[in-house]
Amino acid sequence: QVQLVESGGGLVQAGGSLRLSCAAAGRTFSTNVMGWFRQAPGKEREFVASITWNVGATYYADSVKGRFTISRDNAKNTVYLQMGNLKPEDTAIYYCATGSPPRLRLGLPRGYDYWGQGTQVTVSS
């Protein structure tokens, strides 16, 4: 089992920044990818970004490229999502997840085995 705990959400004005953290505990060696997803009210959960534990390879959704940066601290088993130039459409509950999805499934929720409880991000206009 792997336990994930997100933190860092909150309310921010458009154009502002936030940093989300996701701390992993348990059998973290059993997975090789950490991902961030988000879900807005009435919408499906969508991929935001992912990173591999070993070499730190990253992958981003087009909607956040150039604004968000995913990083990891292997010593702390923690992954971060630095969000900049936030827009009202970024408002959602943000979830971190971990698993071992193949490359073509990095952006699919079903590729991940463990999920955090989510943290709310609200961007006001």
Side-chain angles (χ1 to χ4, degrees), residues 13-74:
Q13 289 188 334
S17 300
L18 277 176
R19 189 177 82 155
L20 306 182
S21 300
C22 175
R27 297 172 57 89
T28 56
F29 56 84
S30 65
T31 64
N32 58 31
V33 177
M34 289 291 290
W36 285 98
F37 289 78
R38 66 187 182 186
Q39 189 166 17
K43 295 188 176 181
E44 293 187 352
R45 191 166 297 190
E46 67 172 359
F47 173 76
V48 176
S50 66
I51 188 167
T52 60
W53 281 117
N54 51 4
V55 298
T58 58
Y59 181 56
Y60 294 93
D62 288 343
S63 59
V64 305
K65 280 181 182 177
R67 300 190 298 122
F68 292 10
T69 301
I70 189 171
S71 61
R72 89 255 192 249
D73 184 333
N74 287 36

Side-chain angles (χ1 to χ4, degrees), residues 4-6 22 45 95-97 114-118:
L4 302 174
V5 179
E6 303 100 334
C22 175
R45 191 166 297 190
Y95 300 89
C96 67
Y114 303 99
W115 292 81
Q117 81 287 353

Side-chain angles (χ1 to χ4, degrees), residues 56-119:
T58 58
Y59 181 56
Y60 294 93
D62 288 343
S63 59
V64 305
K65 280 181 182 177
R67 300 190 298 122
F68 292 10
T69 301
I70 189 171
S71 61
R72 89 255 192 249
D73 184 333
N74 287 36
K76 295 181 179 179
N77 282 340
T78 299
V79 173
Y80 305 96
L81 186 68
Q82 179 68 48
M83 306 185 294
N85 191 21
L86 283 161
K87 305 176 181 180
E89 52 264 41
D90 294 317
T91 295
I93 298 175
Y94 283 69
Y95 300 89
C96 67
T98 190
S100 300
R103 176 69 174 82
L104 293 179
R105 293 187 177 182
L106 282 174
L108 300 178
R110 66 174 183 267
Y112 296 79
D113 302 308
Y114 303 99
W115 292 81
Q117 81 287 353
T119 185

